[in-house]
Amino acid sequence: MRKLRPNDVIADFCSQAEELVQYFGRVTKALKGTAHELADKSALAEQTFLNAATAFECFLSDLFVAFLNRDASQYQDEVFRRITESVKKKQGEWHSQRLSFSKAKHIRASDVITLLDPDGWNVTFKSAALLKTRATEWLIDSFATRITGLSKDDEQVIDTTKAIRDFIAHRSKSAKVRMNEALEKAGESMAITCLGRGDHQIEHVGAFLRAECGGATRLELYVERLKDIAHRLKT
């Protein structure tokens, strides 16, 4: 049975991300000189960012499925550990010591998806820190180290992307607060300063994303950074 290839998942995301950047560029060019150019560019930047952030979230889910489809031994060890701890807590150590677990040599991709979430949702991670934790718990070392090796700036980009996406999608007061907190942290790093903010709160995220910094719009910079993170997860 053919197994999923993690590098194909990475290539698919990068291709999708590049298509979104090109789409943004084409439409931005078409808007030049129109009556509502800036407002339309802001709306376009928000929509494109939302699509890119969603694609990245789906990419991480698909990548974990591909990794586990290749080798789910560590994941099964973790499941057995949790089962053993649960029985020990509820029934005592005597019972937990007598448990056995038969690991499957290969788990189909469709079964991996069901195991990770029986309801059929994508695997999601509330933060980059949790992403690294799950990688350590579920993935064999050769796969896990690709994710745990991401830098603090990478983590901040992932968390800030999620915060911006959540605000665009929900527009709640709390989402706006979290977005500005994430942008403030991003702005403190010289390596990703263009992806963050200074002292002023961001009230209109579309205008923030369409604005240029270092010769490119922030939207383009975010997408390029997400592509770079994906590339560095290749096996």
Side-chain angles (χ1 to χ4, degrees):
M1 185 178 296
R2 184 182 180 187
K3 296 183 179 181
L4 297 177
R5 292 166 53 91
N7 287 354
D8 288 346
V9 174
I10 292 169
D12 286 346
F13 165 72
C14 291
S15 176
Q16 185 178 359
E18 182 59 31
E19 287 175 3
L20 286 170
V21 169
Q22 292 178 4
Y23 162 77
F24 177 77
R26 290 194 304 272
V27 180
T28 295
K29 185 177 180 180
L31 289 171
K32 191 172 182 61
T34 59
H36 306 288
E37 178 181 353
L38 294 183
D40 289 345
K41 282 183 179 179
S42 294
L44 177 66
E46 288 189 16
Q47 294 163 6
T48 308
F49 186 94
L50 182 61
N51 287 337
T54 301
F56 186 73
E57 182 176 281
C58 293
F59 153 70
L60 291 177
S61 179
D62 291 344
L63 186 63
F64 265 70
V65 171
F67 281 152
L68 291 172
N69 179 237
R70 302 294 292 186
D71 190 328
S73 56
Q74 173 61 27
Y75 174 78
Q76 292 178 85
D77 286 342
E78 173 64 13
V79 169
F80 183 52
R81 183 192 69 79
R82 293 188 179 188
I83 291 172
T84 302
E85 287 297 317
S86 177
V87 172
K88 181 179 179 180
K89 181 178 179 180
K90 295 178 181 179
Q91 304 296 335
E93 188 170 350
W94 189 91
H95 292 87
S96 69
Q97 289 179 343
R98 283 156 177 78
L99 294 174
S100 62
F101 187 82
S102 178
K103 290 198 295 186
K105 186 176 181 180
H106 172 65
I107 303 177
R108 294 180 303 178
S110 58
D111 291 335
V112 170
I113 295 170
T114 301
L115 288 171
L116 294 180
D117 193 320
D119 294 327
W121 296 95
N122 285 335
V123 184
T124 57
F125 308 95
K126 294 179 66 175
S127 66
L130 183 58
L131 172 69
K132 288 187 171 184
T133 297
R134 291 290 179 263
T136 301
E137 291 175 343
W138 295 352
L139 306 179
I140 61 173
D141 286 345
S142 59
F143 293 154
T145 53
R146 312 308 298 175
I147 294 174
T148 58
L150 293 175
S151 69
K152 289 294 182 182
D153 282 341
D154 293 330
E155 290 187 51
Q156 190 58 56
V157 170
I158 292 171
D159 289 342
T160 307
T161 297
K162 178 174 174 55
I164 295 173
R165 187 209 64 180
D166 288 348
F167 174 68
I168 294 173
H170 304 295
R171 303 288 178 175
S172 68
K173 182 177 180 180
S174 61
K176 186 176 183 179
V177 170
R178 289 195 298 273
M179 178 186 71
N180 272 287
E181 289 174 347
L183 286 170
E184 183 177 19
K185 290 180 182 178
E188 292 171 355
S189 171
M190 291 300 295
I192 56 172
T193 185
C194 278
L195 302 184
R197 69 174 178 87
D199 295 332
H200 300 291
Q201 296 272 319
I202 300 302
E203 300 293 335
H204 305 289
V205 69
F208 172 80
L209 291 171
R210 69 166 166 78
E212 290 194 2
C213 185
T217 65
R218 287 190 177 92
L219 167 70
E220 293 167 324
L221 293 175
Y222 264 101
V223 175
E224 285 303 313
R225 187 58 187 252
L226 293 177
K227 285 171 56 182
D228 176 62
I229 290 172
H231 274 302
R232 284 184 280 115
L233 297 179
K234 286 183 177 179
T235 59

